[in-house]
Amino acid sequence: MRVLFVDDDPLMRRLGDHALSDLGGMSVVTAADGVEALDMVDRVAPDAIVLDYLMPGMNGDEVLAILQSSPATRNIPVIFLTAVEDEDELRRLVAAGALDCLLKPFDPRTLAEDLKAVLGRVPGHDVSPS
């Protein structure tokens, strides 16, 4: 499984890459912002996206809206990774099309396990180790 991990913080990108590739057995590509994320979606066709909610320039919810507006990308599972703990905001993100919202800071092993659990509920997504 190929996962696009998007976060403006380089440390978070390294942690996400480690969590999902080393601990989760997934192929990981990273992006530093929303514009780069949309470019990477076109180039690498990820099976899933872990998307930071608050980023400069283009927020994660704007990226999600663009993905949801295209037949080619609307079925890519998106999971938000965020420090926002406002329950109403998190519910809004899920209502907008995200599968789940995971809170920062995160434990790398927990991130990999949570992503596999969430994606295991999505038809057609094999989350067994590669």
Side-chain angles (χ1 to χ4, degrees), residues 30-77:
T30 62
D33 58 42
V35 173
E36 185 180 5
L38 293 171
D39 178 56
M40 293 299 287
V41 165
D42 289 339
R43 289 193 292 140
V44 302
D47 298 301
I49 300 170
V50 177
L51 182 60
D52 186 19
Y53 174 51
L54 296 175
M55 295 183 289
M58 183 183 293
N59 275 336
D61 57 344
E62 294 171 297
V63 174
L64 179 63
I66 292 168
L67 293 170
Q68 293 286 312
S69 71
S70 170
T73 57
R74 76 170 43 120
N75 293 322
I76 299 172

Side-chain angles (χ1 to χ4, degrees):
M1 173 180 302
R2 182 177 299 122
V3 177
L4 174 58
F5 189 94
V6 185
D7 199 299
D8 59 309
D9 183 336
L11 176 60
M12 287 293 117
R13 288 194 306 276
R14 285 194 301 274
L15 284 172
D17 186 5
H18 167 68
L20 300 176
S21 62
D22 297 345
L23 301 175
M26 301 172 198
S27 172
V28 180
V29 292
T30 62
D33 58 42
V35 173
E36 185 180 5
L38 293 171
D39 178 56
M40 293 299 287
V41 165
D42 289 339
R43 289 193 292 140
V44 302
D47 298 301
I49 300 170
V50 177
L51 182 60
D52 186 19
Y53 174 51
L54 296 175
M55 295 183 289
M58 183 183 293
N59 275 336
D61 57 344
E62 294 171 297
V63 174
L64 179 63
I66 292 168
L67 293 170
Q68 293 286 312
S69 71
S70 170
T73 57
R74 76 170 43 120
N75 293 322
I76 299 172
V78 174
I79 296 169
F80 277 102
L81 188 61
T82 182
V84 172
E85 295 187 42
D86 181 310
E87 289 295 322
D88 290 334
E89 189 65 12
L90 298 176
R91 277 192 289 276
R92 184 188 70 74
L93 294 172
V94 171
L99 287 182
D100 202 359
C101 296
L102 306 177
L103 293 177
K104 292 179 184 179
F106 63 88
D107 171 70
R109 190 168 306 281
T110 302
L111 174 64
E113 291 168 359
D114 286 353
L115 180 60
K116 285 181 178 182
V118 169
L119 293 177
R121 299 189 313 253
V122 177
H125 281 81
D126 179 14
V127 292
S128 58
S130 40

